[in-house]
Amino acid sequence: IYFDIEGDPLLDVQYLFGFWIVGDGKPRYEYFLAEKPEFEGRMWNQFLDWTATLKPGTFKVYHYADYERAQTLRLAREHGSTPSFEYFASQYVDLLKIVRESVIFPLYFYSIKDIAKSTFLGFKWRSEKASGAQSIFWYEAWLETKDRGILQDIIDYNEDDVLATERLDQWLRSNGK
């Protein structure tokens, strides 16, 4: 499972949990979305219900950097936890840690965007504007306009993030990391 969260620190909300799921049939993208900041708790509960459907021992959860771990643990403290979430969280694998310990890329920054867009991975986001800051801008524009096209831009961006995370994981594996 490749995992990425979109959040808005100005509004203090996590508004999208996205997952690229491989290895149990056809790869697929799944997500949980808080269309309004006050729906964050509802999204969290949907996520908890989903973790209860996962069979322990059959997955690892790959993410890039500490944001997903830190935010889910914070949300568990705020909104409650379950044994299935505790297991899910115990399966986190931070690919940034692996990169820092085993690879030197000729890049100034080691963001997932910089690494994935490099000639080593060659990944492209659907939107040229794609970035965490752009996602926040889109979310705030969505809240103001209710334009579902903007919401789709956020979802597409998140899907690209989890696909880039998978691409990095595959590259690391193919290079013995």
Side-chain angles (χ1 to χ4, degrees):
I1 297 172
Y2 298 92
F3 180 29
D4 185 65
I5 294 176
E6 305 304 326
D8 185 334
L10 302 173
L11 298 176
D12 192 28
V13 63
Q14 306 312 306
Y15 53 85
L16 179 66
F17 285 10
F19 307 91
W20 181 244
I21 303 165
V22 299
D24 68 341
K26 184 179 177 185
R28 66 191 182 280
Y29 174 68
E30 293 187 18
Y31 66 91
F32 300 98
L33 176 67
E35 289 191 10
K36 297 178 181 180
E38 58 266 32
F39 293 169
E40 180 187 72
R42 181 185 309 170
M43 180 189 73
W44 176 253
N45 287 328
Q46 291 169 341
F47 166 68
L48 290 181
D49 290 346
W50 177 74
T51 64
T53 69
L54 302 173
K55 184 178 176 187
T58 64
F59 64 91
K60 291 284 184 189
V61 182
Y62 298 91
H63 59 95
Y64 192 82
D66 194 51
Y67 192 77
E68 286 68 28
R69 186 195 67 78
Q71 292 304 314
T72 56
L73 294 176
R74 181 185 64 78
L75 290 167
R77 286 189 304 274
E78 286 181 20
H79 299 291
S81 188
T82 62
S84 61
F85 167 70
E86 298 299 326
Y87 180 78
F88 184 89
S90 76
Q91 299 305 300
Y92 287 155
V93 177
D94 183 351
L95 294 178
L96 176 58
K97 285 183 181 178
I98 295 169
V99 166
R100 285 185 174 153
E101 292 171 1
S102 62
V103 181
I104 298 174
F105 286 107
L107 301 169
Y108 289 110
F109 302 105
Y110 274 36
S111 75
I112 187 71
K113 308 290 180 303
D114 292 316
I115 292 173
K117 287 180 179 180
S118 73
T119 56
F120 299 98
L121 276 68
F123 188 84
K124 287 188 157 207
W125 273 256
R126 283 173 256 193
S127 172
E128 291 293 322
K129 296 179 182 179
S131 71
Q134 183 65 45
S135 176
I136 293 166
F137 174 80
W138 282 332
Y139 187 68
E140 292 181 8
W142 151 253
L143 293 174
E144 187 174 309
T145 66
K146 301 299 185 227
D147 178 343
R148 296 209 76 75
I150 294 171
L151 196 59
Q152 189 61 52
D153 288 340
I154 297 167
I155 294 165
D156 292 346
Y157 165 68
N158 181 266
E159 182 177 6
D160 287 347
D161 274 357
V162 292
L163 290 169
T165 304
E166 179 194 29
R167 176 82 59 93
L168 173 59
D169 182 44
Q170 289 173 345
W171 186 89
L172 290 167
R173 289 172 191 270
S174 70
N175 286 283
K177 308 299 180 216

